[in-house]
């Protein structure tokens, strides 16, 4: 197996992408946070004492997308052309689902940026709501889709949603 982030001496290194072609890239990721009913009600009714949870988490997720290379040691800096974070509230199951979208034109993909955005947005929800419920659970952070580059298109199939 050829590991791309390890050199011939076994040292970690950044992959050389200088000879790769610039292509349109897209990545989507998702994740969830499960919480008590009183928390989801406070989020929906915008009564969390720290402020507007979802707006703050959206900004945090977008900032994380833009700063991924500062957080993940061997990620390349990318010129992001679109970064979006969205939330779907499932009051019945007491879950907030976060979805990210990242687009760019570049020589390497945006998967880590999409995953980092979801993770940070969900961590922000936790941080803003932890005074109400410390038992919240963040889970199921995963790549949903990627497109562009040599490996082409990937779309998670429904049966791949269960580990």
């Amino acid at each position: 197996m050829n590991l791309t982030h390890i050199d011939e001496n076994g040292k970690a290194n950044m992959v050389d992408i200088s000879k790769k072609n610039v292509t349109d890239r897209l990545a989507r990721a998702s994740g969830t946070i499960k919480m008590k009913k009183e928390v989801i009600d406070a989020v929906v009714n915008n009564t969390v004492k720290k402020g507007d949870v979802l707006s703050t988490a959206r900004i945090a997720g977008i900032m994380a997308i833009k700063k991924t290379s500062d957080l993940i040691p061997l990620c390349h800096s990318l010129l992001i052309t679109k970064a979006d974070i969205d939330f779907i509230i499932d009051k019945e199951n007491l879950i907030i689902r976060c979805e990210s979208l990242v687009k760019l034109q570049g020589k390497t993909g945006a998967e880590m940026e999409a995953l980092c955005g979801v993770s940070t947005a969900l961590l922000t929800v936790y941080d803003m709501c932890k005074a109400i419920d410390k038992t919240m659970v963040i889970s199921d952070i995963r790549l949903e889709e990627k497109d562009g580059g040599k490996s082409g298109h990937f779309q998670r199939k429904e049966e791949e949603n269960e580990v």
Side-chain angles (χ1 to χ4, degrees), residues 5 12-14 68-77 112:
H5 286 80
N13 74 331
M14 184 180 257
T68 299
S69 65
D70 292 340
L71 301 171
I72 310 293
L74 301 176
C75 279
H76 292 85
S77 297
M112 296 309 299

Side-chain angles (χ1 to χ4, degrees), residues 65-125:
I65 288 168
K66 293 168 37 176
K67 292 292 192 177
T68 299
S69 65
D70 292 340
L71 301 171
I72 310 293
L74 301 176
C75 279
H76 292 85
S77 297
L78 301 175
L79 183 59
I80 306 294
T81 58
K82 172 79 173 156
D84 193 26
I85 297 287
D86 201 12
F87 299 97
I88 299 163
I89 298 172
D90 181 349
K91 289 178 86 172
E92 182 179 322
N93 293 302
L94 304 176
I95 290 171
I96 296 176
R97 177 181 166 92
C98 178
E99 297 177 344
S100 68
L101 167 67
V102 179
K103 290 183 179 181
L104 61 98
Q105 292 179 328
K107 295 182 175 200
T108 190
E111 296 96 312
M112 296 309 299
E113 286 72 14
L115 291 162
C116 191
V118 165
S119 301
T120 302
L122 292 173
L123 286 168
T124 301
V125 171

Side-chain angles (χ1 to χ4, degrees), residues 24-59:
D24 290 336
R25 309 287 182 134
L26 171 141
R28 296 178 193 271
S30 69
T32 61
I33 185 165
K34 186 162 179 65
M35 56 190 59
K36 293 178 181 173
K37 183 181 183 322
E38 65 183 296
V39 180
I40 210 157
D41 288 343
V43 170
V44 168
N45 296 322
N46 201 17
T47 58
V48 175
K49 287 183 182 178
K50 286 190 173 184
D52 185 339
V53 173
L54 298 184
S55 291
T56 304
R58 179 174 289 109
I59 297 292

